[in-house]
Amino acid sequence: MFSERERERYKRQMMLFGDEGQERLKKAHIFIAGAGGLGSPVSLYLAVAGIGTLTIVDRDVVDQSNLNRQILHNDRDIGRKKTESAEEKLHAINPDIQIRAIDTTIEEKNASGLVGKADGIVDAMDNYPTRYLLNDIAIKKKIPLFHGAISGFYGQATTVIPGKTACLACIFPKAPPKEVFPVVGVTPGIIGMVQATEVLKYLLKSGELLTNRLFIWDGMQAHAEEICMERNPRCTACGSMSEIPENK
Amino acid sequence: MNVKVRFFARFRELLGTELIIEVAEQTTLPDLVKQITQKNIEGHQAIFDEYGHFREYVIVMRNARRVDLADAGENIVADGDDIAVFPPVAGG
C-alpha cells in the first residue's frame, strides 16, 4: 500500500510499471558496497526510485578531494563519516524509504552478515579483492551482483546472476594491479546509472539484463560497446554451481 | 593479410583506438600485438610481462570470443580477424 505522498512522488514512474512494479521496488532491499564515486549516484537514484530498503556500507570519512565525483557529500561534510553523510542525504531526498548506513570495512568475516537478506548487491567498490568477495557472497546467497568500475573517462559494467551467467571471476579471473586512478565525476555518473537501471530492471522483472555482456564506455569518444562473455566451467568462484536460481 | 586490432581504456591511450595491421602468415596473437607495441615501450610493458607473455589480467578477444591466455601463443591469426585487447578498470 502507498501513502498519498508516495503515490504523488512516484506518479510519473508508476505510469511505466504500475502499482505492482512500485510495490516490488518498495519491498526490495539492495546492498550498496561503497558510498563514493559510484555509490553516490547509485544510492541517490535508487532512493528516489523508491527501493524500500537501502543498505550502504563505507569505512571512510569525506575528504575534499572526493568532492569532484562523490555527489552524496559536500563541503560541509568534510571530516564526517561518509555513511553519516549518506544517510542524511538519502533520507532527505526520500523520507519514505529505510536507509541502513554502516560504517565498516567489508571483509571476509563480516561480508555475509552485512549483506544479510538483501535482494541484490551493487558493486561500488574501488578494488578487486573486495569485488571478488562480494562476488562470492552473491554466489553463496544466489542474489545478483551489479558490477561497475571506472578510470578516467572509461567505465565498465555487467550484471551477474549466479549460476546462470558469467560471474565477476569468470570475466576477470585476475585482478589488475592497484593504482591511484584518475577520475572525473561524469564517468561514475554514467556507469552508476547503468548499474541502477540494472537493479530496477531486475526487481521489475523487465527488459534484458546486462548479463554475459561487459558494457564498456569511452567518454572521450562518446562510444559504448559491449563484449560477449560466458561462464567459465573452471571458474574458481562459480564453476561448481549448476543450478539456476529463479529470477526474483 | 590484414587484421583489425582494437584497444580499450589505458591501452587505447598508449597505442591507439583501432589499427589495421598487415601480418605474415602463421603470426600468433602475441606476435601480432607485439608488432604494434615494439616501438612503444610503455604500451608494451602495460600489456606484456618480462617474459613477453600477456599480463595475466589482460583480456584478449578474437572475433568476439575470449582467448585463453594460456594458449594465446598457439593462436594463429587469420585474415579479417577482429582482435580486442583491454585491461579491466578498477576505480569506483
Side-chain angles (χ1 to χ4, degrees), chain A residues 176-197:
Chain A
K178 204 166 164 46
E179 54 169 359
V180 177
F181 57 95
V183 57
V184 56
V186 289
T187 308
I190 286 169
I191 297 300
M193 285 312 94
V194 173
Q195 292 175 282
T197 305

Side-chain angles (χ1 to χ4, degrees), chain A residues 3 13 18 21 33 38 49 54 56 59 67 83 88 96 105 132 139 143 153 178 186 195-196 212:
Chain A
S3 66
Q13 66 191 48
L38 288 167
L54 292 177
I56 187 159
R59 64 174 177 191
L67 301 183
T83 44
E88 182 186 296
D96 290 321
T105 303
Y132 290 136
I139 290 166
I143 57 172
F153 281 94
K178 204 166 164 46
V186 289
Q195 292 175 282
N212 288 329

Side-chain angles (χ1 to χ4, degrees), chain B residues 34-85:
Chain B
K34 282 174 195 166
Q35 201 172 315
I36 301 165
T37 61
Q38 63 179 348
K39 289 180 189 148
N40 185 320
I41 293 170
E42 208 182 342
H44 185 85
Q45 288 176 345
I47 296 177
F48 294 102
D49 65 17
E50 62 268 41
Y51 305 106
H53 301 136
F54 283 114
R55 290 193 182 276
E56 58 183 10
Y57 55 86
V58 171
I59 295 172
V60 182
M61 308 288 294
R62 179 181 175 192
N63 300 329
R65 294 204 56 96
R66 182 76 166 268
V67 173
D68 187 345
L69 293 188
D71 316 324
E74 285 114 59
N75 211 315
I76 309 289
V77 297
D79 190 37
D81 270 358
D82 180 352
I83 311 295
V85 186

Side-chain angles (χ1 to χ4, degrees), chain A residues 37-38 69 124-128 131 148-151 154-156 170-177 181 214 216 218 221 225 227-230 234, chain B residues 6-14 17-18 55-61 64-66 68-71 82 84-92:
Chain A
L38 288 167
R69 63 196 185 280
M125 295 310 301
D126 60 358
N127 70 85
Y128 274 82
R131 286 191 166 102
I150 51 110
S151 181
Y154 303 108
Q156 66 189 31
C170 296
I171 299 174
F172 307 112
K174 301 285 180 186
F181 57 95
L214 183 68
I216 298 182
D218 179 342
Q221 301 290 325
E225 56 189 293
I227 297 194
C228 292
M229 294 289 172
E230 53 191 20
R234 298 187 304 278
Chain B
R6 294 181 299 141
F7 294 106
F8 294 89
R10 177 148 173 75
F11 298 169
R12 178 171 286 184
E13 288 167 10
L14 294 167
T17 299
E18 186 176 310
R55 290 193 182 276
E56 58 183 10
Y57 55 86
V58 171
I59 295 172
V60 182
M61 308 288 294
R65 294 204 56 96
R66 182 76 166 268
D68 187 345
L69 293 188
D71 316 324
D82 180 352
V85 186
F86 67 99
V89 293

